[in-house]
Amino acid sequence: MKAKVSILFYAKKAKANVNGLVPIYTRITVNGKRIELSTNRFIEISKWCTKSNKIKGNSEEARSINSHLDMLKIQIIDTQMELVHKKIPITAESFKSLLLGVDERARMLVPIFQDHNNKIKELVGKEYAPGTLERYTTSLKHTIEFMQWKYNISDIDITKIDHAFITDYEFWLRSVRNCANNTAVKYIKNFNKIIKICLANDWLDKNPFANYKSKVKEVERVYLSEEEIQSIIEKEFKTERLSIVRDIFLFSCFTGLAYIDVKNLTKSHISFGIDGEKWIFTHRQKTESASKIPILPVTQMIIDKYENHPQSNNQEKLFPILSNQKMNAYLKEIAAVCEIEKELTFHIARHTFATTVTLTNGVPIESVSKMLGHKNLRTTQHYAKVLDRKVSDDMRILKDKFSSSFKLNTKEA
């Protein structure tokens, strides 16, 4: 895109000195952005011609100052031509730097990205979860690996990032890194945040993401059926570790809490709700949104079972919970013993609460969304889409209504 550059000389009345003389300023407009510089010349305001942007008359003063302004105009035009010749993007910042002889340091991508990550690191536990820092750390690592693969460089001037850079980066994620669609899209989204920082600071004149489009594919969420939940409940395990993992997994199935939120639970999170019954009052670590969940009988039984467990008491936690990795490893053993063919992970418990435990049993989606701590109802609606049984139940009610209300005349005409 060709840069639009305009030049204007004007007398700046607001800057008049003690002698009543006003300075002449140069206004250079580059793609709508202004650069205002003093010409270091002062005149009486009555001598300035606004129409011609010069001093009136043919006096020695007028000839000298007007000649100086003409030289400045030539210098500005030469600056524009030099930027074009050097193939440097013409922006207000690059124009001013070259015109004033300032050796502008190129802004490189990696330090900007790293500075962003450092700020997140300082806010972990306050505004961000540890997983957020981990995702952006991995994103930076992937970005550097891509640049080495594509351009044989470890960093790049941000002004060199264009549409081709982004599409090639996405191709690398999908091919070399073998990322699935949604994973690749998330890494590109993380990279886009860094570009937005550059745009907000006016370090970039053009958004390289302007014509880029990507779409997250909806993933069918795995959840357990009532029969599968019952098989886990009824199974007797010989080892304590499997029993503990089973109980905490079931607790999540009947509360909808994610692993980290279950891990952070203490007795202080349990209190009496608006109905006089016991509720769990907590905040999701991932989104910091509130979750208020009534305690079901099976949930209370699990809480009571571990009330005096030495490990949870020592840690002042509600449960003696293991690491997420160990929990998921043991859940695979539980699935095998219970003859559940699904790949069991702790997060499936949250999906199970949303589908089998609540929505399938007629709990309104607004209530489910609030208990899950979702900020947007659309997030909860993803669970409702997979409930064929719920659709069948709803339609059965409709069928019963229509069968009693409408009678079709089947007699032949």
Side-chain angles (χ1 to χ4, degrees), residues 344-359:
L344 210 55
T345 64
F346 197 90
H347 205 65
I348 285 177
R350 184 169 166 82
H351 299 327
T352 302
F353 174 79
T355 52
T356 308
V357 174
T358 54
L359 289 172

Side-chain angles (χ1 to χ4, degrees), residues 12-13 43 96 193 204 217 259-260 268 308 311 314 322 392 410:
K12 199 164 189 175
K13 297 179 184 179
I43 59 162
K96 185 177 180 179
K193 186 184 177 184
L204 286 177
K217 292 180 181 178
Y259 165 81
I260 190 63
S268 64
N308 297 313
Q311 184 181 332
N314 289 338
L322 305 173
S392 175
T410 58

Side-chain angles (χ1 to χ4, degrees), residues 262-288:
V262 176
K263 183 180 180 181
N264 291 335
L265 282 181
T266 65
K267 292 178 181 178
S268 64
H269 288 109
I270 298 175
S271 187
F272 290 98
I274 194 170
D275 56 0
E277 301 290 337
K278 286 185 178 180
W279 287 43
I280 295 171
F281 295 87
T282 186
H283 283 77
R284 291 197 66 202
Q285 181 169 298
K286 182 179 179 181
T287 60
E288 295 186 352

Side-chain angles (χ1 to χ4, degrees), residues 5 25-26 28-30 33-38 75-76 79-80 83 88-104:
V5 180
Y25 265 69
T26 311
I28 309 164
T29 306
V30 182
K33 293 187 178 181
R34 293 178 176 180
I35 305 167
E36 293 191 344
L37 303 169
S38 174
Q75 186 180 352
I76 292 166
T79 299
Q80 183 180 359
L83 287 170
I88 298 173
I90 300 177
T91 65
E93 197 171 26
S94 64
F95 205 106
K96 185 177 180 179
S97 297
L98 185 59
L99 183 64
L100 299 179
V102 178
D103 183 17
E104 184 186 16

Side-chain angles (χ1 to χ4, degrees), residues 39-305:
T39 65
N40 296 317
R41 297 293 187 272
F42 291 80
I43 59 162
E44 295 174 16
I45 189 63
S46 60
K47 294 180 180 180
W48 182 253
C49 178
T50 306
K51 189 175 181 180
S52 63
N53 297 322
K54 289 186 176 183
I55 295 181
K56 303 171 187 175
N58 197 33
S59 65
E60 180 65 29
E61 178 191 36
R63 289 198 301 272
S64 174
I65 292 179
N66 288 339
S67 176
H68 178 70
L69 298 182
D70 288 338
M71 290 297 293
L72 285 177
K73 189 172 184 179
I74 292 170
Q75 186 180 352
I76 292 166
I77 294 170
D78 287 345
T79 299
Q80 183 180 359
M81 296 306 295
E82 187 175 349
L83 287 170
V84 172
H85 179 71
K86 290 181 176 179
K87 296 182 179 180
I88 298 173
I90 300 177
T91 65
E93 197 171 26
S94 64
F95 205 106
K96 185 177 180 179
S97 297
L98 185 59
L99 183 64
L100 299 179
V102 178
D103 183 17
E104 184 186 16
R105 292 173 58 190
R107 286 192 172 87
M108 306 302 284
L109 173 64
V110 172
I112 296 170
F113 209 140
Q114 188 60 61
D115 179 64
H116 165 270
N117 291 2
N118 290 342
K119 288 175 180 175
I120 287 184
K121 186 177 181 180
E122 291 297 318
L123 295 173
V124 167
K126 299 175 183 177
E127 293 185 22
Y128 298 101
T132 304
L133 174 62
E134 185 180 346
R135 283 193 294 274
Y136 277 105
T137 301
T138 305
S139 292
L140 174 56
K141 177 175 171 287
H142 284 344
T143 304
I144 294 171
E145 288 176 358
F146 160 70
M147 290 189 293
Q148 291 171 337
W149 174 81
K150 178 67 179 179
Y151 306 104
N152 198 27
I153 56 174
S154 58
D155 204 353
I156 190 171
D157 185 332
I158 58 170
T159 60
K160 305 294 183 185
I161 299 171
D162 54 13
H163 180 80
F165 182 99
I166 296 164
T167 53
D168 287 342
Y169 185 17
E170 182 185 5
F171 171 78
W172 179 83
L173 287 168
R174 294 178 184 275
S175 58
V176 178
R177 291 296 310 175
N178 198 29
C179 292
N181 177 81
N182 291 1
T183 305
V185 170
K186 285 178 183 178
Y187 282 129
I188 294 294
K189 185 179 179 182
N190 291 344
F191 182 73
N192 190 17
K193 186 184 177 184
I194 307 305
I195 296 299
K196 285 179 179 178
I197 291 172
C198 296
L199 288 166
N201 284 286
D202 291 326
W203 298 336
L204 286 177
D205 191 45
K206 184 179 178 182
N207 183 3
F209 275 91
N211 297 313
Y212 173 81
K213 289 184 179 180
S214 62
K215 189 174 181 180
V216 175
K217 292 180 181 178
E218 191 172 321
V219 178
E220 185 175 336
R221 288 166 169 80
V222 178
Y223 61 95
L224 298 181
S225 66
E226 286 186 17
E227 293 75 19
E228 289 168 331
I229 296 172
Q230 194 62 40
S231 70
I232 295 175
I233 290 174
E234 294 175 353
K235 194 70 179 178
E236 292 186 12
F237 297 99
K238 295 178 180 179
T239 59
E240 185 187 11
R241 61 178 175 83
L242 289 182
S243 294
I244 291 173
V245 171
R246 183 267 308 276
D247 293 341
I248 297 172
F249 176 77
L250 288 172
F251 177 86
S252 182
C253 285
F254 289 98
T255 60
L257 291 172
Y259 165 81
I260 190 63
D261 300 319
V262 176
K263 183 180 180 181
N264 291 335
L265 282 181
T266 65
K267 292 178 181 178
S268 64
H269 288 109
I270 298 175
S271 187
F272 290 98
I274 194 170
D275 56 0
E277 301 290 337
K278 286 185 178 180
W279 287 43
I280 295 171
F281 295 87
T282 186
H283 283 77
R284 291 197 66 202
Q285 181 169 298
K286 182 179 179 181
T287 60
E288 295 186 352
S289 54
S291 285
K292 301 175 183 179
I293 310 153
I295 295 177
L296 298 172
V298 65
T299 313
Q300 186 61 54
M301 287 172 63
I302 297 170
I303 293 172
D304 293 341
K305 184 176 179 179

Side-chain angles (χ1 to χ4, degrees), residues 348-376:
I348 285 177
R350 184 169 166 82
H351 299 327
T352 302
F353 174 79
T355 52
T356 308
V357 174
T358 54
L359 289 172
T360 302
N361 289 299
V363 178
I365 194 168
E366 295 81 5
S367 298
V368 176
S369 184
K370 194 168 184 178
M371 287 188 285
L372 289 171
H374 287 163
K375 291 185 175 181
N376 194 316

Side-chain angles (χ1 to χ4, degrees), residues 293-354:
I293 310 153
I295 295 177
L296 298 172
V298 65
T299 313
Q300 186 61 54
M301 287 172 63
I302 297 170
I303 293 172
D304 293 341
K305 184 176 179 179
Y306 293 94
E307 184 177 8
N308 297 313
H309 193 282
Q311 184 181 332
S312 52
N313 284 344
N314 289 338
Q315 296 174 347
E316 296 183 349
K317 298 292 184 181
L318 202 61
F319 298 114
I321 195 166
L322 305 173
S323 70
N324 198 18
Q325 291 81 359
K326 285 185 178 179
M327 293 284 286
N328 286 331
Y330 295 154
L331 280 170
K332 288 178 174 56
E333 286 188 48
I334 291 172
V337 172
C338 296
E339 298 181 352
I340 296 173
E341 295 183 358
K342 296 167 184 173
E343 187 176 348
L344 210 55
T345 64
F346 197 90
H347 205 65
I348 285 177
R350 184 169 166 82
H351 299 327
T352 302
F353 174 79

